[in-house]
Amino acid sequence: MKKVLLFCIAIFITTLTFNNSNAQDVKQVNLKDSVIVTAEKNLPVPQVSSIATKLFIPLKDIPLSVSVVNNSLINNQNNLVLGDALRNIAGVNTQTGNGVHDYFIIRGMNSLENSLILTDGTLEPEVTYYNLYNVERVEVLKGPGAFLYGSNPLSGTVNLVRKQPQFRNFVNLQSSYGAFNSVRNSIDAGYGSTETGLAARINLLWEDADNYRDDKENEILAINPSVTYFAGKDLTFNLNFEYINSKYKPDAGIPLVADNTTFQLNKIADVDRKTSFQTPIDYSDQKIIRAKLYTDYKISENVTFSNKMYYSQLDWKSTGTLLNGAYPTQAGTIVVRSMSKLDDVRDLFGMQNEFSFKFNTGKITHKVIAGFEWSVLKEEYSYDVATVIPPVSLTNPVNQPADYNALMSPYLAGDVTNTVFAPYIIDHIKFSDKLQMIIGMRYDIINFENKAKNYLADREYDNLSPLAGITYSIVKNVSLYANIGQAYAPPSSQVIGDDREAERSTQYEFGVKQKFFDGRLNVDVAYYHLEKDDISIPSADGLSRQQGDMLSKGVEVEIRMEPLENLFTFISYAYSDAKMTKFNELIRSQVGNGQSVSFIANRDGNRPAFAPEHLLNIWCTKEFSNGIGIGGGVRYIDNQYIHINNAFELDTAFLVDAIVYYKWNKFKFTVNFKNITDKEYEMRGFGASSVIPAAPRSVYGKINLSL
């Protein structure tokens, strides 16, 4: 109650502080990865994106698969974290990482090992939930993105474009309450003066929720001030700082139950879906700092220089119970458990220097970005494990008094410095109104050093990442495109004593982009063929071996349209054929009563975890002249395996959501309905031995005040 009262006081003070002004589309300054405007024109049907080329090019002219989820769709669907927004993207399956961080699969490949997340065009080293309280839009580049962004984006790159200062005064206050005692309050306020060239903005978030599962409450506090200053018509500075303190309770879900004779985990435990099997000491606390200073200097009409300095820190401390399955015994079925403890501090400092040029060679026009990135990632971590902790009864999971920390043993430790120097160049070539081309490449020189005692694993890598794409307009507003590219991913900093080569991916893709009725209907169709080689496979003995290859191919369709005034529809569909073409895994298997054996398992031909063949998402909203709006959507998720062993498969899920809202004066009242049919379905738990029940039917109410 005290926190709610404090928030109400903050609303009152903020309301007195700022003057009301009407938003007008007046002035726009294009920085390569963001737009600073006097007022935001939030187009319901996205038309441009910067992630693919660092240049604002119409989506129909980009010879790559690029998708955008803008703020209006984020708000209508009540999307709170990155995974919620990504459900709108064809070929993306969103899951969770033990209930404490975003985790998703793009084109059959998981985000931890195969994707890269950026904020405002610069690297994010964190594993966290990316809250959307300060995000203007989410951009996704599917396929290899190393030609611009360096290591790791084998299957996808996600860019969160945060809300930037505007040259007007405004306040937006939002408060919501809903299922599971979820309280979420936010403030978005800004000040701007065109006379002084100074604009400032601040976004704040406070959230407290119990969650739908027992003992899984979370609390988040975040603040994000930013300032833009025009020091003359040719020089711009943008300073952005963000601090986040998030506290979650980890969740390994509910266990799978072993067969009485084979001991194979083959069914979900028949218990209350809210039941928790965690220990009382489980927690996950993250403190995140992001600081960025961007400078743009317009040297001439055709030449611009940009400098981006960025720093981020993740301080992550957690202890989590892991469920290794439920096994029958003479005394009843018990849940076998283990535990991990992480203390991890990561500091990333980096800088990008870029020149952008516009010039002609005869009748051919060029837009070129040439630059280099330098970054240093320092990470100190310790990872302790308890391979066995006291089991609990499946039907009555009461934790007996125990000193769980005393059971922990050191497992991994690191004092890592990872230094990267990488020049890159990209050229957008326009031969004519019909024919355009993009050529880009980046050369990364990486020095990896681990100073931790007994964990020396110094390595050096150098990698060239090329990409080429071409677009041809067969008729007005209908374009064919094709591209080919490569990317790489060096081994994790938590690899010990294993001198491995970088993992690599190669993709070729072709498709068609169609834009009709002045952009009111946009249809994109893509076919891709994506190969990943030299996959590192974590084994039961703690080492990683390089003995895996993977192939993913499929078709993706995205439709964005406004068939009638204020009627917006978004449709995405993906067919994915993903399989492991080579995969030998050393595993340790439970044989009952906590005993285990180790053996080599051949997974050739198996499907990756959480990579369903079919994914369909439809969302539609209609706003009437009287201020009432309605909307709804469906999501179909095909059968999916929970582990590479393909031993247990989740059933299909068909989910239905809806929204009703009313705009009155400066207020907007919204009610969101989630999982209307109360469908029971499951998400990613721990490996092959547990799953997390997804939330049941739930309702959330929200009040928005714009001044």
Side-chain angles (χ1 to χ4, degrees), residues 650-671:
L650 296 176
D651 294 333
T652 61
F654 188 82
L655 312 175
V656 183
D657 298 338
I659 179 180
V660 177
Y661 65 86
Y662 175 60
K663 291 181 177 179
W664 174 72
N665 202 355
K666 301 180 186 303
F667 289 90
K668 181 179 180 181
F669 305 91
T670 305
V671 180

Side-chain angles (χ1 to χ4, degrees), residues 129-393:
Y129 273 130
Y130 292 88
N131 276 274
L132 302 178
Y133 75 104
N134 61 342
V135 172
E136 186 58 39
R137 67 182 182 275
V138 176
E139 305 175 326
V140 180
L141 168 63
K142 288 177 282 188
F147 70 101
L148 267 183
Y149 301 108
S151 64
N152 221 49
L154 304 180
S155 66
T157 307
V158 177
N159 184 33
L160 289 86
V161 180
R162 294 181 295 178
K163 298 175 182 177
Q164 300 295 332
Q166 305 170 30
F167 284 90
R168 65 184 183 98
N169 301 340
F170 67 92
V171 181
N172 185 276
L173 310 172
Q174 186 170 282
S175 183
S176 67
Y177 178 80
F180 324 117
N181 294 318
S182 299
V183 179
R184 186 178 176 97
N185 299 307
S186 64
I187 298 177
D188 180 10
Y191 162 83
S193 169
T194 54
E195 293 181 358
T196 63
L198 182 67
R201 188 169 191 165
I202 186 168
N203 282 273
L204 301 110
L205 170 69
W206 171 71
E207 177 182 317
D208 187 88
D210 289 343
N211 202 302
Y212 66 97
R213 288 183 30 82
D214 293 343
D215 192 33
K216 297 292 178 289
E217 64 273 5
N218 65 274
E219 185 175 354
I220 304 166
L221 178 66
I223 180 170
N224 177 206
S226 56
V227 176
T228 294
Y229 177 60
F230 287 94
K233 64 178 182 178
D234 298 326
L235 182 61
T236 306
F237 298 96
N238 181 266
L239 178 63
N240 197 300
F241 176 83
E242 185 173 11
Y243 171 79
I244 303 171
N245 189 347
S246 63
K247 298 180 179 180
Y248 286 90
K249 286 292 188 71
D251 191 359
I254 57 178
L256 299 188
V257 180
D259 183 87
N260 285 327
T261 55
T262 65
F263 289 100
Q264 181 177 350
L265 300 171
N266 58 10
K267 65 177 180 180
I268 301 175
D270 185 15
V271 296
D272 190 319
R273 294 171 67 83
K274 295 184 294 183
T275 305
S276 174
F277 297 89
Q278 315 293 123
T279 71
I281 68 170
D282 282 21
Y283 78 104
S284 175
D285 291 354
Q286 291 188 343
K287 295 180 180 179
I288 297 172
I289 294 174
R290 299 186 181 105
K292 303 181 189 253
L293 174 62
Y294 292 178
T295 304
D296 274 71
Y297 178 60
K298 187 176 181 181
I299 299 174
S300 68
E301 189 65 31
N302 296 316
V303 181
T304 301
F305 171 74
S306 174
N307 172 267
K308 302 176 184 177
M309 291 189 292
Y310 56 92
Y311 168 78
S312 65
Q313 181 187 77
L314 169 67
D315 186 349
W316 186 7
K317 294 177 173 59
S318 70
T319 298
T321 306
L322 306 175
L323 308 184
N324 300 304
Y327 297 87
T329 68
Q330 292 182 350
T333 303
I334 63 170
V335 179
V336 178
R337 306 183 300 173
S338 56
M339 179 176 282
S340 65
K341 182 178 182 179
L342 177 68
D343 188 346
D344 191 359
V345 178
R346 307 180 193 181
D347 289 276
L348 172 69
F349 176 79
M351 179 173 59
Q352 296 178 4
N353 287 290
E354 298 175 348
F355 285 93
S356 61
F357 306 90
K358 297 178 184 178
F359 61 90
N360 296 337
T361 54
K363 296 183 178 180
I364 302 173
T365 63
H366 298 261
K367 293 181 180 179
V368 177
I369 289 182
F372 69 87
E373 182 166 19
W374 170 78
S375 67
V376 178
L377 171 64
K378 293 182 177 292
E379 180 178 11
E380 292 187 40
Y381 65 88
S382 61
Y383 185 66
D384 302 337
V385 299
T387 55
V388 178
I389 63 173
V392 292
S393 167

